[in-house]
Each structure stands twice: as C-alpha cells, then as structure tokens.
Amino acid sequence: MKLKDRAAKIGQFIRSNPLNALLACWFIIVLVILSRLYFSANVDDSNWEQFKIEHHCKLRMTKTGTQRSSWECDDRKIYYRWRQQR
C-alpha cells in the first residue's frame, strides 16, 4: 500500500469519525507524555543514594517519632521517598 493511499484512508477516517479521531489523538498524546515522565523519573532516581549522602539528607520524623516517607536535605528542600522506591 502506497503512502498516498494510506493518507487518503486516514483522511477518510477523520472525516467520517471526527470524535473517534480526536480521542485517538488525545490518547496518543497522553501516552507520550506519561512515558516521558516515567523515563525521566527513572533517570533522576538512579542517583538518589549518592545525592542523599552529598546533601546530608535526613529522614523526617513525626511528632510521635514514627518515620515518614520524606527526606529533608541541606538544600532546604523536602524529597519524597516514593520517588526513590523501585
């Protein structure tokens, strides 16, 4: 099948089912965005142990002394453990 024929079929599908075509485009865009977020988070998480040591991160505690799932570092930011768990 030639590229011209495929383009004609896609155009015909869009004209006959505009809502379905719009939903399919929206789904593809969301899928691309979510996959980019997932893969960029994995890159950041791989350096967590080194980052934790370099920035003197300490596990935050509640008033009752139980552990929380967040870390406070010397850069005065709070980092959440769920980002580092795999």
Side-chain angles (χ1 to χ4, degrees):
M1 190 180 264
K2 292 184 179 179
L3 184 61
K4 202 175 208 181
D5 294 336
R6 289 183 183 175
K9 284 189 176 191
I10 291 171
Q12 182 182 6
F13 174 76
I14 292 172
R15 282 189 298 275
S16 63
N17 301 310
L19 183 61
N20 290 345
L22 183 64
L23 289 174
C25 288
W26 181 81
F27 179 75
I28 290 170
I29 290 169
V30 168
L31 188 64
V32 168
I33 290 171
L34 289 176
S35 64
R36 289 184 67 199
L37 287 172
Y38 175 76
F39 289 116
S40 69
N42 283 341
V43 170
D44 293 342
D45 289 350
S46 65
N47 299 323
W48 172 246
E49 290 301 322
Q50 180 182 355
F51 180 86
K52 184 171 67 171
I53 294 167
E54 290 174 357
H55 291 273
H56 311 312
C57 298
K58 294 182 182 177
L59 190 60
R60 293 179 64 201
M61 300 287 199
T62 61
K63 292 179 183 179
T64 60
T66 58
Q67 293 183 348
R68 293 184 60 194
S69 59
S70 61
W71 297 81
E72 188 170 9
C73 301
D74 63 0
D75 61 356
R76 304 208 187 248
K77 291 184 181 177
I78 304 296
Y79 296 91
Y80 294 94
R81 186 173 174 179
W82 61 266
R83 290 200 56 196
Q84 287 77 37
Q85 289 180 340
R86 292 282 172 240

